[in-house]
Amino acid sequence: MTKIFKFFVYVFLFILFMWLAQDGLANNSPLLKELIEPNSITVDHQHIYIPEATSIYIYDLKNFQMIKKIGKKGEGPQEFLLDVMRGAEELLIDVQTPVILVNSLGKVSFFKKGDGSYIREIRSHSRAREFKPLGKGYTGQGMVVEEGIQYRSVNIYDSRLNKVKGVFKVRHHFQMGEGLRVLPAAMTFVTHNNKLFIAWEEDFIIRVFDQNGNQLYNIQKEYERVKVTDLFKKKITEFFKTDKRYKGIFEMLNPKLLFPPDLPAIANMVIEKGKIYVITYRIDEDDNGATQCLVFDVRGTFLKEMVIPLKRRDELQPYPYAISGGKLYQLIEDGEHWRLKVTQL
């Protein structure tokens, strides 16, 4: 009787182990069957937010089950519009505050976390976009023309999206009569604890400002930038000609593409729990696309260099990803569906 009991115990433990192992694999790479063509992914401590066209899917972070789908195409409350020509290529989400902030063409909308219920919206008074919370107002990206030259600018806005002051500007990568400069510099700015971090230059420099737009300090590092190859130029040209977001504009304007000798030092910047994750363009193709990531604290002290396993959809951009809670979340195509790959960093 004892031997039979032990046998069944061993069988039960084996089955339990296999079930836990499979469940772990599922939780590390769940299939999100609702998605067709997601644009990005944002993660907080409880939920996952994935915009697709003019809708947003909200998932539970623990079990990866969809909670709600919000938004649709339109101009009314709880509706969104996009326009590539006017800079609104996709819905942009920020979840740093207790609400979900959604950027779409001409407005910012607010929803409750969890159930996704609608709160309110603020209409923009300009063509500014990519608003992010900063102090009692926002920061965002705008355009300014000076002496016939177009500039991209990061600005401070009040609680009603009225421009208060310009903070930093760079020459726009497209000028009529000149052509389109491809990846002339980094194009990322983020907010964290009422500070503004801007990485808009070709070299490794992050400029840090307070909530009023006063510069506090710079984060800099000596960095050997990645060379631009002829193969890269060919792939980028093909990308602009075939990508459904840009091919219409490319055919209409037919701009001359101007490539720099080197790629910018910074590709993207993510700030999470007091750490700045700086993703570069240095990729090890022999190591399953491992991408270099340099980690700093928010004061600029260099902490470490690491590689993150970013899968890429083309030469220019990786599949949508986010860093949260010390983990990398990335949406990857799996046949006709999308899988969420979760990797501990």
Side-chain angles (χ1 to χ4, degrees), residues 122-141:
I122 307 174
R123 295 279 176 171
S124 174
H125 309 288
S126 65
R127 295 185 63 180
R129 56 192 176 91
E130 203 173 346
F131 294 103
K132 300 175 182 181
L134 182 65
K136 295 181 180 180
Y138 305 90
T139 186
Q141 182 178 170

Side-chain angles (χ1 to χ4, degrees), residues 323-339:
I323 296 175
S324 179
K327 296 179 181 179
L328 171 69
Y329 296 84
Q330 186 170 33
L331 296 168
I332 300 171
E333 283 186 282
D334 185 0
E336 296 181 354
H337 297 289
W338 287 80
R339 192 175 290 279

Side-chain angles (χ1 to χ4, degrees), residues 155-335:
N155 308 313
I156 301 292
Y157 299 85
D158 66 17
S159 61
R160 300 304 303 172
L161 304 185
N162 298 302
K163 182 179 175 180
V164 176
K165 65 180 292 187
V167 177
F168 188 74
K169 67 180 181 181
V170 296
R171 199 173 191 270
H172 199 285
H173 51 279
F174 179 72
Q175 304 287 335
M176 292 298 295
E178 290 185 10
L180 176 65
R181 292 184 295 140
V182 178
L183 295 176
M187 297 176 66
T188 178
F189 67 100
V190 298
T191 58
H192 176 77
N193 285 348
N194 287 328
K195 290 185 176 65
L196 170 60
F197 298 75
I198 303 175
W200 267 23
E201 296 163 84
E202 61 182 17
D203 293 319
F204 200 110
I205 179 169
I206 302 169
R207 300 183 185 271
V208 186
F209 302 81
D210 66 16
Q211 63 185 13
N212 298 312
N214 301 309
Q215 186 158 2
L216 299 174
Y217 54 92
N218 294 333
I219 300 173
Q220 293 179 264
K221 184 175 176 58
E222 291 293 325
Y223 188 80
E224 183 179 353
R225 292 156 57 195
V226 177
K227 297 292 182 184
V228 172
T229 64
D230 290 337
L231 179 60
F232 179 86
K233 295 177 183 179
K234 181 179 179 181
K235 289 183 176 181
I236 294 300
T237 302
E238 186 64 20
F239 166 79
F240 280 118
K241 288 182 177 180
T242 58
D243 187 272
K244 68 178 184 180
R245 293 171 299 173
Y246 303 115
K247 65 179 182 180
I249 300 175
F250 194 86
E251 291 171 355
M252 179 177 64
L253 299 177
N254 192 27
K256 178 182 179 182
L257 296 183
L258 306 172
F259 291 91
D262 307 296
L263 292 173
I266 298 174
N268 193 20
M269 171 176 56
V270 178
I271 301 182
E272 208 269 328
K273 290 188 175 180
K275 292 182 180 179
I276 307 174
Y277 295 85
V278 179
I279 294 88
T280 76
Y281 286 100
R282 184 156 276 111
I283 304 166
D284 188 348
E285 300 293 353
D286 296 328
D287 188 13
N288 202 24
T291 302
Q292 182 188 49
C293 178
L294 305 177
V295 186
F296 300 78
D297 67 20
V298 290
R299 288 294 306 173
T301 300
F302 178 67
L303 301 178
K304 63 179 178 178
E305 177 180 345
M306 60 190 296
V307 293
I308 55 177
L310 283 183
K311 298 287 186 181
R312 309 188 80 81
R313 68 168 84 210
D314 53 51
E315 193 76 16
L316 187 61
Q317 55 189 342
Y319 284 111
Y321 70 91
I323 296 175
S324 179
K327 296 179 181 179
L328 171 69
Y329 296 84
Q330 186 170 33
L331 296 168
I332 300 171
E333 283 186 282
D334 185 0

Side-chain angles (χ1 to χ4, degrees), residues 13 22 51 57 69 121 139 152 166 199 245 271 285 301:
L13 290 175
Q22 289 179 0
Y57 293 87
K69 177 183 178 182
E121 68 179 28
T139 186
R152 289 189 295 116
R245 293 171 299 173
I271 301 182
E285 300 293 353
T301 300

